[in-house]
Amino acid sequence: MAKYKIAWMPGDGVGKDVMDAAKIVLDKLKLDAQYIPADIGWEFWCKEADPLPPRTAEILNNTDCALFGAITSKPKEEAEAELIPALKGKGHVYASPIVRLRQEFNLRTNLRPCKAYPGNPLNYKDGIDLVVFRENTEDLYAGVEFFPLPDEVREVIKKHNKKMKSFDKHPGSEVAVSLRINTKTGCRNIITDAFEYAKKTGRKSVTVVEKPNVIRETSGLMVRTAREIAKNYPGITLYETNIDAMCMWLLKNPFDYSVLVTSNMFGDIISDLCAQLIGGLGFASSGNIGDKYAVFEPTHGSAPKYAGQYKVNPMAMLLTVVLMLEWLGEKDMAVRLENAIAAVIKEGKVRTYDMGGKSSSLDIANAVAGKL
């Protein structure tokens, strides 16, 4: 019997391409694992009205972790239009399966390292080494939304917040509302994870990125909680920045920052900016981590126009495998793989189109495997 059971979820578009690249490296590492295929993605939305079928959740419940490729998500009307005829008009509403996974399995921490490896011609500046901790289950991504706005919801909001009255002139049919919901528990968990990571890895600062001067209650809760938790880590400095200013300061002084922690939406935004500093989404890995389970994925999209061409950069996926190995406790394998990735990037002999080369996704994977 294999030591690990890993749910294998290529998903959509180039997801299969980069997962094939990952398999080359995993086989070379000889990770003692059984890879169990699991259905997820746009195909299953179109023909079943469910991009995360119950059978897939069952597989995840009986594995150690999951490796995931890429996902396609579209707005409500477009998603409805792509259902098979028998499912149209039945009230089905598309919801991102990766967001559902995060919520249903309480994968509360989204870990996104952004490291500029030497030799990467796409680096904004060499030496950048940032880690983003993004709260993964709350905030605007909780999906508590209304359109049109029901009268009873409007009245309840108005009763408790007079500012809602300024929208009285707009009929409910013309008003959309999304609730930003942060909890003390959610804030405490993600901020504690960020400080624990900084302590474990010897990093000297944690920066909480929010907007409490305008979004006073939800961002304010994050910042107040960060101040409380920082008292337990006297060797680590807490910085506080606004999300808009942070986008500017990361471009101007990226070396001033180390660990960034923020809520769900702001984390989504800031992690893409950080990814571009180290070469783009082709180098951006992530882990969705809970107390008992984790799903690992590159942060890029499904890029359907490149599907099956093995053209896209698989480094994000290979770096995601590093995160998975670390989480599984396979520290030596993780170090070996990251060193091999770094060596291939530094040599520059094998590069995908985004790096100015002509190599395929599988060429990259084979080059990395050759360094192991």
Side-chain angles (χ1 to χ4, degrees):
M1 182 181 293
K3 184 177 181 181
Y4 304 112
K5 288 185 177 181
I6 298 173
W8 193 261
M9 304 189 296
D12 303 320
V14 299
K16 181 180 184 302
D17 299 23
V18 296
M19 290 284 276
D20 286 349
K23 191 62 165 53
I24 290 172
V25 169
L26 286 164
D27 286 347
K28 185 61 181 290
L29 284 168
K30 292 183 170 57
L31 180 66
D32 185 10
Q34 178 186 0
Y35 303 100
I36 302 172
D39 297 334
I40 189 170
W42 197 251
E43 173 189 353
F44 304 99
W45 162 255
C46 293
K47 67 183 185 182
E48 300 179 29
D50 191 349
L52 182 62
R55 60 184 178 274
T56 298
E58 183 64 21
I59 289 172
L60 269 60
N61 279 321
N62 290 282
T63 50
D64 296 294
C65 66
L67 194 61
F68 177 51
I71 202 70
T72 295
S73 289
K74 297 184 181 182
K76 182 171 66 173
E77 291 79 7
E78 293 180 34
E80 163 77 13
E82 294 197 28
L83 287 170
I84 61 173
L87 295 173
K88 290 182 179 178
K90 304 293 185 181
H92 299 295
V93 178
Y94 179 81
S96 168
I98 190 61
V99 173
R100 281 178 56 195
L101 280 176
R102 292 165 180 166
Q103 294 170 348
E104 293 175 16
F105 285 82
N106 194 27
L107 308 177
R108 56 182 175 79
T109 298
N110 190 252
L111 170 64
R112 297 194 175 190
C114 295
K115 183 176 181 179
Y117 289 92
N120 185 350
L122 301 177
N123 287 342
Y124 177 65
K125 292 180 179 179
D126 289 343
I128 292 173
D129 187 2
L130 301 162
V131 182
V132 179
F133 278 78
R134 168 191 174 190
E135 200 290 317
N136 219 17
T137 60
E138 301 182 349
D139 199 55
L140 290 170
Y141 285 66
V144 183
E145 300 186 289
F146 304 92
F147 180 77
L149 178 62
D151 290 340
E152 57 268 35
V153 175
R154 183 200 293 263
E155 291 306 314
V156 168
I157 296 174
K158 198 187 323 183
K159 178 181 177 181
H160 294 279
N161 193 316
K162 294 178 181 179
K163 292 181 180 180
M164 189 67 192
K165 188 173 177 57
S166 64
F167 295 96
D168 279 354
K169 61 185 177 182
H170 302 284
S173 60
E174 296 180 3
V175 179
V177 172
S178 296
L179 298 185
R180 187 182 197 226
I181 303 173
N182 290 353
T183 68
K184 181 73 171 182
T185 297
C187 295
R188 185 186 299 114
N189 284 341
I190 193 66
I191 293 165
T192 299
D193 286 349
F195 271 95
E196 282 293 320
Y197 180 89
K199 180 180 178 181
K200 180 180 177 181
T201 57
R203 292 172 180 259
K204 300 302 181 183
S205 70
V206 171
T207 302
V208 59
V209 185
E210 283 295 327
K211 189 68 174 176
N213 59 325
V214 176
I215 313 173
R216 298 182 181 277
E217 301 306 333
T218 48
S219 282
L221 182 60
M222 279 285 288
V223 172
R224 292 191 298 272
T225 304
R227 291 171 182 170
E228 292 173 10
I229 291 172
K231 296 174 183 177
N232 300 322
Y233 298 88
I236 301 170
T237 302
L238 172 67
Y239 296 116
E240 302 172 13
T241 65
N242 287 343
I243 178 66
D244 48 339
M246 193 68 204
C247 292
M248 175 182 70
W249 289 114
L250 279 171
L251 288 174
K252 186 176 182 181
N253 299 315
F255 302 110
D256 287 354
Y257 303 96
S258 181
V259 177
L260 312 179
V261 61
T262 185
S263 47
N264 211 336
M265 175 63 83
F266 292 160
D268 202 359
I269 293 168
I270 207 75
S271 59
D272 274 16
L273 190 156
C274 290
Q276 190 57 41
L277 296 177
I278 53 95
L281 293 177
F283 296 89
S285 59
S286 78
N288 302 282
I289 301 170
D291 292 329
K292 298 180 180 180
Y293 199 78
V295 175
F296 298 90
E297 58 166 333
T299 63
H300 57 66
S302 60
K305 68 179 181 180
Y306 294 135
Q309 299 180 33
Y310 293 96
K311 182 176 181 177
V312 300
N313 194 336
M315 286 299 190
M317 173 54 82
L318 301 185
L319 289 165
T320 294
V321 172
V322 172
L323 294 179
M324 183 182 75
L325 292 171
E326 290 175 344
W327 187 81
L328 288 171
E330 299 289 348
K331 308 295 185 183
D332 291 341
M333 279 190 184
V335 170
R336 287 172 54 207
L337 178 53
E338 184 178 13
N339 288 343
I341 291 168
V344 170
I345 293 173
K346 188 172 184 178
E347 281 185 358
K349 295 178 181 178
V350 184
R351 290 176 171 174
T352 43
Y353 79 99
D354 57 317
M355 300 176 73
K358 297 181 179 179
S359 304
S360 73
S361 311
L362 302 184
D363 292 335
I364 297 291
N366 284 313
V368 170
K371 298 290 185 182
L372 293 171

